[in-house]
Amino acid sequence: MSFINSLRTFLNGSSSHICCVAAVFCVSFVMAPNVYALDPHATLSDYYLDVWTAKEGAPSDVLAFTQTPDGWLWLGGHNGLFRFDGVRFERFVPVSGDPLPKAPITTLRAEPNGDLWIGYTSAGLSVLRQGKLTHVASSRPDSPISSATYSIVVDTDNSVWAATSLGLRHYSGGKWNIIGEEANIPPPPGTTDNVGIDRTGQLWVTNSHTVYRLARQSGKFEPVGHHGTASSLIHSPDGRYWHSAGTKLTLLANSANSSQRRRDAVTSDVGKFDRDGNFWTIDCEGAAVCLWRGVGARPGTKLGTTFVLDKNALDRPSPRSPLYGAVGLKLFEDRDANIWITTNIGIVRLRDKRIKKAPIPASKSMKIAMDGEGRAYVHAASQNVWALHNRHDSAVVAKGVDTFTASLSGDTLLAIPGYIQFGFEADARKIPLPQAEGETIPNVGSVTYDGVSMWVYIRRRVFWRYRAGRWESTWSWLAPICKPRSTAPAGVGEVWFGCRDGSAVRITGDNVTKFGPAQGLDFENASFVDARDGILVGGSDGTAILSGTRFFRIQAEDPRVLYNVVGIAKAPNGDRYLNGARGLVYVKAADWRAMTAQPTQPLRYTLIDTLDGYPGAATSLIEGMAIDSAGILWFGGSEGIASLDTKAPLRKASPLPVFVTALETPTQRYRTSDGMVLPPGSSGLRIDYTALGYTMPERIRFRYRLDDVDRDWVEAGTRRAAYYTNLGPGEHRFSVIATNEDGVWNPAPVTFSFKIEPTITQSRPFIVLCVVLSLALVYALHRMRLRRSERRIVEHMRTRQLERERIARLLHDTFLQSVQGLTYAFQGLANSLPAQSTMRGQMEKLLDMAEDVIVEGRNNVSALRAPPARDVEHDLTALAQSLAEAFPVQFSFTSTGTRRDVDPIVADELHLFAREAIFNACRHAQAGRVTVSLEYDARFVRLCVRDDGRGIDPQVLADGAPAGHWGLRGLRERAEGMGATLDIESSPGKGTLLCLRIGADMAYRVREAIKDQ
C-alpha cells in the first residue's frame, strides 16, 4: 500500500456513503492578524482558483505543505524541498550543516520559533534551524527512525514525538525512545498514523483502530474507546480534537474548551476545517476537493458533542472547474485563509473573493435601484424585478416589468404594460401610459421621476413628460437640443439628460440649459449621467464633473478606470464607488472632496477588479448601483449581478515580509547574507527579491535602490529582480520596499549589504601605480614636446645666425674691402697734392669720414656674428631713453629676481620686442607713461611693457591687428618663433599690458645649444 493510501481510509458500499474525514492538526502556529476571513456561506464558485503546474515551475508529487512564521510556504515530496513566495518555486539547498537526504519528504512541521521539521519516506528526521540543516535521526538502516514518518509534533517540554510506519518514537534529552507496550502502545510492526497536541496541551495518538490519550502522570497512553476501520482526528476551529467514524464526528473526551487559541500549519490528506468552520475534504465525489459550508463553528463557538455530515449539503466543483475529475493529495490553509490543494494536475489555490455573484440569472441588460427603506432591487432577466435580501438570498417581487427605477425620495416606479406603477403592492397607484386608439400597448425603455414630472421613454414614440395630471410629448422641442442617451433626477423639478452627441442638458421646469464642448463636455456620447450628489457625466472615454458652470474631466493615474462608468454609489461615511470599464473604483470621502475642490488634480482611488471577483466588465446596458441598509454594494457586470460588503475592511493594513533572496553573477548564484563578499570581477549582478503575499501576489509592487548607483527609487512594478552592470569594487547597499496586495507600502525598506572584491587591475596599489605611470608618461610627453620645440627654435636661431654670419662675411669680403681700396686710392691721390692745397684738405676730411664708415661697417659685421653676452637691462634702459627723447613720455624700468645672463640672441629678441612695444605705446596709444619690467625666474624670463594710453579695441585684439598695421601681428609672430608666450591685456581707455614669457631652456641655454649643434 502506498504512503498516501496508508494514511487514507475510504468507506466502501452504497452511494449513500461518503468518504470519511481524517486529519492531524497539532499545536504551535499562531495565525497572523489582518487576514481575509473565509465566508461560511461561500460556495466553491465564490472562490478564486489558480493552478500552478510544471510549466510554472511547480514541483510534482507534493506530499507535505506548511508555512513558517516568517511567511514562507514550504513544499516537500518526491522531488525534494521547495519554498514558494506566491510567484516562484525555489528548490531549497541548505547553505550549512548536513545535506538534505535524497529520500522523498512525507511530512513538514513548522514551529513558532522558526524551526522546520522534516520527515521522510524512509529513515531519518531533520530540523532546519536558521538556515542550517541538522539530522536529529540519521537515514542509516540502524536509525531510531528507520521507516516512513507520517506526522511530527513538538511537546510542551520541547521534546519531539514522531508517528511512523513502525510505531511511535519520542526524542528527549538528546536520545530517541521507542514507545511500545510499556506505554500501552501496540508494538511494531504496528503503524502509528497521527500524533498531535490539542490547545490544552493534551497529547493524542491514533492508529488504524484506536485513539489514545497520554496520561502525563503515569506516562502511559489510555485508549478512549473509539474503534473502527476509519479512526482519525479532526482539528476544529476552536482548537479541539474530534474523532471521525464514518459520517460522524464525535468530540473526544477531556478535550475541554479553553480560552487559548492555537492553530496548526500542517497538511491533511483527508479533510479539515478552515478557520470559519467550513469543512473541506480531499478526493471526494469524483473531484479533488469538496466543501461542506458552515458545518463547523467560528473560533470560540461550541460545535456540540456529535456532528453528522450531510451528503446533500456537499458542494462539489462544477464540471467546468479544473478540480472536477482531478485527484486531491494534500490540503492546507495558510495564514491568509487561502486553501491550498496538491493534486495530480498541479498545486491549486482557492481564495475567497471580495465580490460575490448574486443568485440571479445573468442578463444582457440590468438596472439596479434602492427604495427609501434601503432595500436593493434589480431589474434583470425575463422582465423580472428581484429583491436582494442578502448576498446569498434573493426573490422575484414583480414580473412582466419593462423597466424599473427609484426616485430621489425612494419611490419605486415600475413600467408594466400600459401603466407606470408606484410600488410593488397590488393596490399601488397606477398612471396609464399615453396610447392612441388602435395602437398596441407601448413598450417603455426608461422612467425618470424628479418629484414633479415623470419622464418616460416609449420605444418608437420617444420621450413623454407627465405633470399636473396629463401627458405631453417633448420630442418636438427636445430632439433638436438633445437626443437622450441617459437620464437622472437632480432634485425636485430638475432632471439631467446625457445626449448622444456627448453633451448634457439640464431641464428645470421649462428652462433648458445645454452643456457642450465649450463647457468642457466632449465625449463621443454621454451614456451616463448622475445628479444625486453633484453632477457627473460620462462616456466611453472618461467621466466629467460639474464645477461651477463648467465640466472638468476627472483625472486618474490610469484613465481607463473612469471609462464607460455606468453607476456611482455613496456610502454613509462619504466614500464612493464607481462602476467602470476596469472594475469598481473605490474613492475615500477625503479624496473625493480633494478632487471636487481641484478637479484638475488626479483622483486617488483603489481599483477592485477581476482579481477580486468582478463579474466580467461594465457595459452600457447596465445602469445604476446601490448600497443597501446592510452596507452591501450591489452592481452589475457582463457576467451578472454582484455584491461587495462595504463594511468589511477593503485594505490590509499590515505590510508584507520582504526578503532579498538571491544574488546572481554571470558564473554563480548565491543565497544572500548581509555583508557577503563577492569574488573579484563580479561587475554584472542580478538581485532577486520578493514579498510574501499569497492572496493576490499579482498586485504586489516593488521599488528598489542601489546606493551610489541609483539616484532615486526605481519603480519595478511587479518585477522581482534588479539588474546592474559595470559595478565597481567596494561596499554596496541594496534597498527594496514593497506594497501588500492592497497597495499599502512597507514603512521601511529592507536593506542588504555586499562587497565586491577588486581585481588586480582594480586594486588600490595598481590604481596608484597606473596614476604614477600616467603622470610620468604625461611628464615625459611634455618634456619631449618641449625638447622638440626647443630643437625647432634652436634650429631656427642657428639658421638665422648662420645667415647673419654669411652676410657679415659677404660685407667684409666685398663692400668693406672695396671701400678700403677706394680710401687707399684716394689717400694716394691726396698725398700727391701740395700740403697746403685746399683740395688736399678737403680730401683729407673725406678720407676721415670714409674711415669712420669703414669702422662702422666693421662694427655692424661684428654684430651680425654671434655676439658676446650683453647686458639686457642696460640695453633696455638705453632704448627707452632714446625713445623718450623723441616722444613726450615718462619712462621707468624695474627688474625683479636673481639676475641671470640672458642668451644674446634672446637678448636681441627682447630688445626688438621692447622697441616695438614702447614705440607703439608712444606713437599709437598716445601714452603719457611707459613702464618696463624684467623678471628673472628659474623657470622663465618675462618682459612686460605697460602704458597708460588709450588701450586696444577688443575687436582689434580678436582680429590680431588693425587693417594696414602689423605691430601686434609682428609681436605674436616673434613670440611664436621663439616658442614664447605672449599675453595682452587691454581695454579702451585703461591702457595696455604686453608680457613676453620665455622658458628658461630658451632664455638661458640657447647659446650653448647652438654651439652644441
Short mmCIF file of all heavy atoms in Angstrom, two decimals, residues 638-663:
data_model
loop_
_atom_site.label_atom_id
_atom_site.label_comp_id
_atom_site.label_asym_id
_atom_site.label_seq_id
_atom_site.Cartn_x
_atom_site.Cartn_y
_atom_site.Cartn_z
N SER A 638 -20.88 42.27 -17.00
CA SER A 638 -21.37 41.49 -18.14
C SER A 638 -21.69 40.06 -17.77
O SER A 638 -22.42 39.38 -18.51
CB SER A 638 -20.30 41.51 -19.24
OG SER A 638 -19.07 40.99 -18.77
N GLU A 639 -21.19 39.56 -16.62
CA GLU A 639 -21.47 38.20 -16.20
C GLU A 639 -22.54 38.12 -15.12
O GLU A 639 -22.76 37.04 -14.55
CB GLU A 639 -20.18 37.53 -15.72
CG GLU A 639 -19.13 37.39 -16.82
CD GLU A 639 -17.85 36.77 -16.31
OE1 GLU A 639 -17.79 36.42 -15.10
OE2 GLU A 639 -16.91 36.63 -17.10
N GLY A 640 -23.18 39.23 -14.79
CA GLY A 640 -24.28 39.17 -13.84
C GLY A 640 -24.18 40.20 -12.73
O GLY A 640 -23.29 41.05 -12.70
N ILE A 641 -25.12 40.10 -11.79
CA ILE A 641 -25.18 40.99 -10.63
C ILE A 641 -24.22 40.46 -9.56
O ILE A 641 -24.10 39.25 -9.34
CB ILE A 641 -26.61 41.06 -10.07
CG1 ILE A 641 -27.55 41.63 -11.12
CG2 ILE A 641 -26.66 41.91 -8.81
CD1 ILE A 641 -27.24 43.05 -11.53
N ALA A 642 -23.55 41.39 -8.88
CA ALA A 642 -22.59 41.01 -7.84
C ALA A 642 -22.71 41.98 -6.68
O ALA A 642 -23.37 43.02 -6.76
CB ALA A 642 -21.17 41.00 -8.40
N SER A 643 -22.04 41.62 -5.57
CA SER A 643 -22.12 42.44 -4.36
C SER A 643 -20.76 42.54 -3.70
O SER A 643 -19.88 41.68 -3.87
CB SER A 643 -23.13 41.84 -3.38
OG SER A 643 -22.68 40.56 -2.93
N LEU A 644 -20.61 43.60 -2.93
CA LEU A 644 -19.39 43.85 -2.15
C LEU A 644 -19.80 44.37 -0.78
O LEU A 644 -20.64 45.28 -0.68
CB LEU A 644 -18.50 44.88 -2.85
CG LEU A 644 -17.26 45.35 -2.08
CD1 LEU A 644 -16.21 44.25 -2.08
CD2 LEU A 644 -16.70 46.63 -2.69
N ASP A 645 -19.22 43.79 0.26
CA ASP A 645 -19.51 44.23 1.62
C ASP A 645 -18.68 45.47 1.92
O ASP A 645 -17.46 45.39 2.12
CB ASP A 645 -19.20 43.11 2.62
CG ASP A 645 -19.62 43.46 4.04
OD1 ASP A 645 -20.10 44.60 4.25
OD2 ASP A 645 -19.45 42.60 4.93
N THR A 646 -19.30 46.64 1.93
CA THR A 646 -18.55 47.88 2.14
C THR A 646 -18.12 48.07 3.59
O THR A 646 -17.27 48.92 3.86
CB THR A 646 -19.40 49.10 1.72
OG1 THR A 646 -20.57 49.18 2.55
CG2 THR A 646 -19.82 48.98 0.27
N LYS A 647 -18.70 47.30 4.51
CA LYS A 647 -18.30 47.42 5.91
C LYS A 647 -17.07 46.58 6.24
O LYS A 647 -16.43 46.80 7.27
CB LYS A 647 -19.46 47.03 6.82
CG LYS A 647 -20.66 47.98 6.74
CD LYS A 647 -21.75 47.59 7.72
CE LYS A 647 -22.92 48.57 7.66
NZ LYS A 647 -23.99 48.20 8.62
N ALA A 648 -16.77 45.63 5.38
CA ALA A 648 -15.58 44.81 5.60
C ALA A 648 -14.35 45.63 5.21
O ALA A 648 -14.40 46.46 4.29
CB ALA A 648 -15.65 43.53 4.76
N PRO A 649 -13.23 45.42 5.90
CA PRO A 649 -12.01 46.17 5.54
C PRO A 649 -11.64 45.92 4.09
O PRO A 649 -11.55 44.78 3.64
CB PRO A 649 -10.95 45.61 6.50
CG PRO A 649 -11.72 45.01 7.63
CD PRO A 649 -13.01 44.51 7.03
N LEU A 650 -11.45 47.00 3.36
CA LEU A 650 -11.09 46.87 1.95
C LEU A 650 -9.60 46.67 1.78
O LEU A 650 -9.14 46.04 0.83
CB LEU A 650 -11.54 48.11 1.18
CG LEU A 650 -11.38 48.04 -0.34
CD1 LEU A 650 -12.22 46.91 -0.91
CD2 LEU A 650 -11.77 49.37 -0.97
N ARG A 651 -8.84 47.19 2.70
CA ARG A 651 -7.39 47.11 2.59
C ARG A 651 -6.79 46.35 3.75
O ARG A 651 -7.28 46.42 4.88
CB ARG A 651 -6.76 48.51 2.57
CG ARG A 651 -6.98 49.26 1.28
CD ARG A 651 -6.30 50.61 1.37
NE ARG A 651 -6.30 51.29 0.08
CZ ARG A 651 -5.24 51.87 -0.45
NH1 ARG A 651 -4.09 51.83 0.18
NH2 ARG A 651 -5.31 52.49 -1.61
N LYS A 652 -5.74 45.63 3.46
CA LYS A 652 -4.91 45.07 4.53
C LYS A 652 -3.97 46.16 5.01
O LYS A 652 -3.23 46.75 4.23
CB LYS A 652 -4.08 43.91 3.99
CG LYS A 652 -4.80 42.58 3.89
CD LYS A 652 -3.80 41.53 3.47
CE LYS A 652 -4.43 40.16 3.39
NZ LYS A 652 -3.44 39.14 3.00
N ALA A 653 -4.00 46.41 6.30
CA ALA A 653 -3.10 47.44 6.83
C ALA A 653 -1.71 46.90 7.08
O ALA A 653 -0.74 47.64 7.11
CB ALA A 653 -3.69 48.02 8.12
N SER A 654 -1.61 45.59 7.32
CA SER A 654 -0.32 45.02 7.69
C SER A 654 0.57 44.89 6.47
O SER A 654 0.13 44.45 5.40
CB SER A 654 -0.52 43.65 8.33
OG SER A 654 -1.22 42.79 7.45
N PRO A 655 1.85 45.27 6.60
CA PRO A 655 2.77 45.12 5.48
C PRO A 655 3.18 43.66 5.30
O PRO A 655 3.00 42.82 6.19
CB PRO A 655 3.97 45.98 5.89
CG PRO A 655 3.94 45.96 7.39
CD PRO A 655 2.48 45.89 7.77
N LEU A 656 3.74 43.36 4.16
CA LEU A 656 4.20 42.01 3.86
C LEU A 656 5.68 41.86 4.21
O LEU A 656 6.45 42.82 4.11
CB LEU A 656 4.01 41.70 2.37
CG LEU A 656 2.58 41.71 1.85
CD1 LEU A 656 2.57 41.45 0.36
CD2 LEU A 656 1.74 40.67 2.57
N PRO A 657 6.09 40.67 4.63
CA PRO A 657 7.52 40.44 4.82
C PRO A 657 8.26 40.47 3.49
O PRO A 657 7.81 39.86 2.51
CB PRO A 657 7.59 39.06 5.48
CG PRO A 657 6.30 38.40 5.12
CD PRO A 657 5.28 39.48 4.98
N VAL A 658 9.35 41.21 3.44
CA VAL A 658 10.14 41.38 2.22
C VAL A 658 11.52 40.76 2.43
O VAL A 658 12.12 40.91 3.50
CB VAL A 658 10.26 42.87 1.85
CG1 VAL A 658 11.11 43.05 0.60
CG2 VAL A 658 8.88 43.47 1.65
N PHE A 659 12.00 40.06 1.41
CA PHE A 659 13.29 39.39 1.50
C PHE A 659 14.10 39.66 0.24
O PHE A 659 13.55 39.73 -0.86
CB PHE A 659 13.12 37.87 1.66
CG PHE A 659 12.42 37.44 2.92
CD1 PHE A 659 11.05 37.31 2.96
CD2 PHE A 659 13.15 37.19 4.07
CE1 PHE A 659 10.40 36.92 4.10
CE2 PHE A 659 12.51 36.81 5.24
CZ PHE A 659 11.13 36.67 5.26
N VAL A 660 15.41 39.79 0.42
CA VAL A 660 16.34 39.72 -0.70
C VAL A 660 16.84 38.28 -0.71
O VAL A 660 17.53 37.85 0.21
CB VAL A 660 17.51 40.71 -0.54
CG1 VAL A 660 18.45 40.62 -1.74
CG2 VAL A 660 16.98 42.12 -0.39
N THR A 661 16.46 37.53 -1.73
CA THR A 661 16.62 36.07 -1.68
C THR A 661 17.90 35.56 -2.32
O THR A 661 18.46 34.56 -1.88
CB THR A 661 15.42 35.40 -2.37
OG1 THR A 661 15.34 35.86 -3.73
CG2 THR A 661 14.14 35.73 -1.65
N ALA A 662 18.35 36.19 -3.39
CA ALA A 662 19.50 35.64 -4.11
C ALA A 662 20.23 36.74 -4.85
O ALA A 662 19.66 37.79 -5.19
CB ALA A 662 19.06 34.55 -5.10
N LEU A 663 21.50 36.49 -5.08
CA LEU A 663 22.34 37.39 -5.86
C LEU A 663 23.07 36.53 -6.88
O LEU A 663 23.71 35.53 -6.52
CB LEU A 663 23.32 38.13 -4.94
CG LEU A 663 24.13 39.27 -5.55
CD1 LEU A 663 24.47 40.31 -4.47
CD2 LEU A 663 25.43 38.76 -6.16
#
